[in-house]
């Protein structure tokens, strides 16, 4: 069955290749499924704000940025890669630079999707 899970993520784009980093508990339904089938599709809605929702609800919309794509999950076992992934995740999610240590990264499962099969879309607020 399809299974959708909202996840926090960090990312980097190098030469048009997107790498998304995720973390979670080391076991559970999601991890079991990913070990059996590493193929995933992803969607990130990165920001948003209603348009005309209060003034004209029938003519409303949403300013947004989104990324959609496909790839395969790769589990990270290298401590340095896990530190990098969690550091990028905190930078993206909280806007802060955190350096994790080996003990911290050993408490979570870290995995990634490396893909060039993605697209983005954005509806920006007009410049006033």
């Amino acid at each position: 069955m399809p299974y959708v899970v909202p996840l926090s993520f960090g990312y980097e784009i190098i030469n048009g290749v997107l790498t998304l980093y995720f973390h979670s508990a080391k076991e559970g339904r999601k991890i079991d499924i990913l070990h059996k089938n590493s193929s995933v599709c992803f969607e990130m809605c990165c920001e948003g704000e209603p348009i005309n929702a209060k003034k004209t609800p029938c003519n409303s919309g949403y300013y947004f940025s989104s990324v959609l794509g496909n790839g395969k999950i790769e589990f990270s076992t290298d401590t340095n890669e896990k530190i990098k992934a969690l550091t990028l995740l905190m930078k993206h999610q909280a806007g802060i630079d955190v350096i994790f240590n080996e003990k911290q990264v050993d408490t979570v499962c870290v995995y990634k999707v490396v893909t060039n099969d993605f697209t983005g879309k954005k509806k920006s607020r007009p410049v006033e």
Side-chain angles (χ1 to χ4, degrees):
M1 291 295 293
Y3 183 59
V4 178
V5 180
L7 297 170
S8 298
F9 66 96
Y11 70 95
E12 62 184 359
I13 300 175
I14 299 173
N15 297 325
V17 176
L18 172 65
T19 302
L20 296 166
Y21 293 100
F22 309 96
H23 79 300
S24 67
K26 291 183 174 184
E27 50 188 46
R29 179 179 178 197
K30 170 179 64 262
I31 297 301
D32 292 344
I33 290 169
L34 292 173
H35 279 295
K36 290 178 187 173
N37 180 357
S38 64
S39 296
V40 296
C41 65
F42 56 86
E43 183 274 340
M44 278 78 169
C45 191
C46 302
E47 53 190 59
E49 179 184 351
I51 305 168
N52 298 324
K54 292 181 181 176
K55 289 198 293 187
T56 56
C58 291
N59 190 26
S60 64
Y62 211 74
Y63 299 116
F64 68 94
S65 296
S66 65
V67 177
L68 302 137
N70 297 287
K72 293 205 175 271
I73 290 291
E74 300 172 27
F75 288 91
S76 300
T77 56
D78 178 75
T79 298
N80 290 327
E81 182 178 42
K82 290 173 79 171
I83 288 170
K84 174 184 175 180
L86 294 176
T87 299
L88 285 170
L89 196 145
M90 286 303 295
K91 182 69 171 179
H92 179 250
Q93 296 296 311
I96 57 176
D97 292 314
V98 177
I99 303 298
F100 292 88
N101 62 45
E102 186 173 344
K103 185 177 179 182
Q104 291 169 314
V105 301
D106 283 344
T107 65
V108 296
C109 180
V110 174
Y111 38 100
K112 65 183 177 181
V113 174
V114 180
T115 184
N116 60 4
D117 182 10
F118 67 95
T119 185
K121 189 171 181 182
K122 183 172 189 167
K123 181 173 182 150
S124 299
R125 174 181 273 287
V127 178
E128 296 177 10

